[in-house]
Amino acid sequence: MKKHKIILSLVLIASFFGSCGNTYKLKLSSPKSMKINEKLTLSVTEENSKPIDSVRYYLDGKRLPGNKDVTLNTSKLGAHAISATVFYGEEQKKLTNTILLFAEKSPEIYSYEIVNEYPHDENAFTQGLEYHNGFLYESTGQNGESTLRKVELKTGEVLQKIDLDKSFFGEGMTIYNDKVYMLTWQSGKGFVFNLESFEKEKEFKYDQSKQGWGLTHNGEKLIKSDGTDKIWFLDPETGTEESHIEAYTIDRAVPKLNELEFIDGKIYANVWQRNSLVMINPNTGALEGIADLAGLQEKVGQKGDENVLNGIAYDEENDRLFVTGKDWNTLFEIKLNKK
């Protein structure tokens, strides 16, 4: 009996080591990051040099034409999934890595000059700003103080205003098809108001993004920031987030994107707690310009990380760019000059 047990144990041990010997230890090698214009080279290896029949490579689920000097089939920057399906014997296995795609070139740098100054409510914690038919429309934040308002440009007089329920922290807004779309910060929803009466007509819920920060539109889609490096494109009818881009420079992401304005085919954005404007390619996410607006915060008597630049509006007909900030007493018309 003992002899049979010994033989059985030897068979089991042999079977175990035999199965371990047949286990493939595969590794997908890919760069962690690269610029969008560079060629991509990939490889799959087996730790013990076991034979591999074939490999198929994919970027975000779309098959690549090969694995050496590959031209990428995307123009969007940021994080992407690189995967390989490996075939060996009668088996197959999927391997996945993440690759960051950076911008091809550094952004242009702009300075500014002040063209005009207008009064602004110094108690308006500005979140969104838009110029429409000769008036400014503005959304303000803080729980219990959040408002939507229509403002006379030259005097700063508030002509029309509604208060949001104190449970909501108001965020960015935009006007599209004679409707005012306004975000809330952490409540997971936005509102749609009648442009003339400011009567609330409907609500929409956030989908993949968790917060609402800035809002604009490109004539077809709403464009929304959520405080990260992501910018979302929404269906105006449903509020559904259909796609997104990620804002990147030549070597890093651009986080904390806040108030937005769509100007001449580019997305202009405030960066939270930075007194600057950035210009983003809406197709790729590439940071194409930076305007340093240092000095404006000090000019209005503000300082610190709270009452910073926030609010961008553009008068397309007269090519006028307006900016202000949180609790600033002045709205500035400025001109940007490329250095």
Side-chain angles (χ1 to χ4, degrees):
M1 181 66 71
K2 289 183 178 180
K3 183 178 179 181
H4 288 178
K5 287 184 178 180
I6 292 171
I7 293 173
L8 179 60
S9 296
L10 290 173
V11 170
L12 291 173
I13 291 171
S15 175
F16 173 79
F17 280 106
S19 63
C20 286
N22 290 329
T23 300
Y24 273 58
K25 296 182 179 180
L26 300 165
K27 179 183 179 181
L28 170 61
S29 296
S30 61
K32 292 183 178 180
S33 63
M34 57 182 285
K35 293 182 180 178
I36 192 69
N37 62 323
E38 295 176 339
K39 299 290 186 179
L40 176 66
T41 296
L42 306 167
S43 66
V44 170
T45 55
E46 201 286 321
E47 185 178 299
N48 299 304
S49 301
K50 292 179 181 178
I52 295 173
D53 295 331
S54 62
V55 184
R56 295 175 183 171
Y57 296 94
Y58 301 84
L59 178 70
D60 298 330
K62 296 181 180 179
R63 189 172 177 181
L64 296 171
N67 70 312
K68 294 185 183 297
D69 297 328
V70 178
T71 299
L72 299 178
N73 55 18
T74 184
S75 61
K76 290 185 177 182
L77 306 184
H80 294 266
I82 289 286
S83 61
T85 301
V86 187
F87 299 88
Y88 52 97
E90 297 181 356
E91 303 292 329
Q92 69 180 59
K93 185 174 183 179
K94 183 178 180 179
L95 309 172
T96 303
N97 289 347
T98 298
I99 185 172
L100 291 177
L101 300 182
F102 295 141
E104 182 177 358
K105 58 183 179 179
S106 299
E108 302 279 359
I109 306 300
Y110 294 80
S111 61
Y112 73 95
E113 59 182 282
I114 297 173
V115 179
N116 281 306
E117 298 181 22
Y118 303 99
H120 181 256
D121 182 0
E122 63 182 7
N123 295 311
F125 197 73
T126 305
Q127 300 292 85
L129 191 68
E130 186 148 336
Y131 183 89
H132 182 76
N133 288 346
F135 297 95
L136 287 171
Y137 290 79
E138 185 174 14
S139 56
T140 68
Q142 304 286 27
N143 291 97
E145 301 177 17
S146 296
T147 66
L148 171 65
R149 50 181 71 185
K150 179 180 180 180
V151 179
E152 169 65 43
L153 170 63
K154 291 185 178 181
T155 65
E157 180 185 356
V158 178
L159 304 175
Q160 186 177 355
K161 184 180 78 166
I162 59 166
D163 299 317
L164 268 63
D165 185 276
K166 65 181 180 180
S167 63
F168 295 114
F169 191 116
E171 280 286 350
M173 56 74 61
T174 193
I175 297 171
Y176 178 80
N177 280 351
D178 292 328
K179 306 290 182 185
V180 180
Y181 292 77
M182 182 175 176
L183 303 176
T184 63
W185 180 25
Q186 295 178 317
S187 300
K189 66 170 64 175
F191 303 120
V192 183
F193 299 97
N194 181 282
L195 177 61
E196 297 300 323
S197 66
F198 282 5
E199 180 180 354
K200 188 175 76 172
E201 296 185 350
K202 63 180 180 179
E203 301 178 358
F204 59 95
K205 294 183 178 180
Y206 305 160
D207 185 12
Q208 300 171 74
S209 66
K210 302 303 180 186
Q211 296 185 357
W213 285 48
L215 193 66
T216 186
H217 70 86
N218 61 6
E220 296 180 358
K221 303 293 181 182
L222 301 181
I223 304 174
K224 172 181 179 290
S225 64
D226 63 5
T228 69
D229 58 3
K230 289 189 170 99
I231 296 177
W232 301 85
F233 294 84
L234 284 61
D235 182 324
E237 294 299 318
T238 65
T240 302
E241 295 160 355
E242 298 180 332
S243 63
H244 76 274
I245 55 173
E246 299 173 42
Y248 269 77
T249 65
I250 59 172
D251 61 358
R252 69 193 67 187
V254 185
K256 296 184 179 180
L257 297 173
N258 199 2
E259 224 278 278
L260 306 177
E261 185 79 5
F262 196 78
I263 303 174
D264 292 335
K266 306 295 180 186
I267 300 171
Y268 282 53
N270 289 134
V271 178
W272 171 232
Q273 297 181 331
R274 296 289 184 270
N275 287 302
S276 60
L277 293 181
V278 296
M279 301 137 196
I280 300 165
N281 185 305
N283 300 312
T284 66
L287 186 69
E288 296 188 345
I290 300 175
D292 182 2
L293 303 190
L296 292 182
Q297 184 185 33
E298 182 179 355
K299 189 174 177 63
V300 299
Q302 293 287 8
K303 60 182 179 179
D305 292 335
E306 279 293 316
N307 296 328
V308 294
L309 179 78
N310 200 67
I312 313 166
Y314 183 61
D315 174 8
E316 182 177 6
E317 183 178 354
N318 298 296
D319 189 26
R320 294 188 295 174
L321 177 63
F322 304 101
V323 296
T324 190
K326 298 177 182 295
D327 294 338
W328 285 19
N329 59 21
T330 306
L331 175 107
F332 298 95
E333 178 189 341
I334 62 172
K335 180 182 179 182
L336 300 181
N337 301 306
K338 187 182 298 184
K339 288 187 175 181

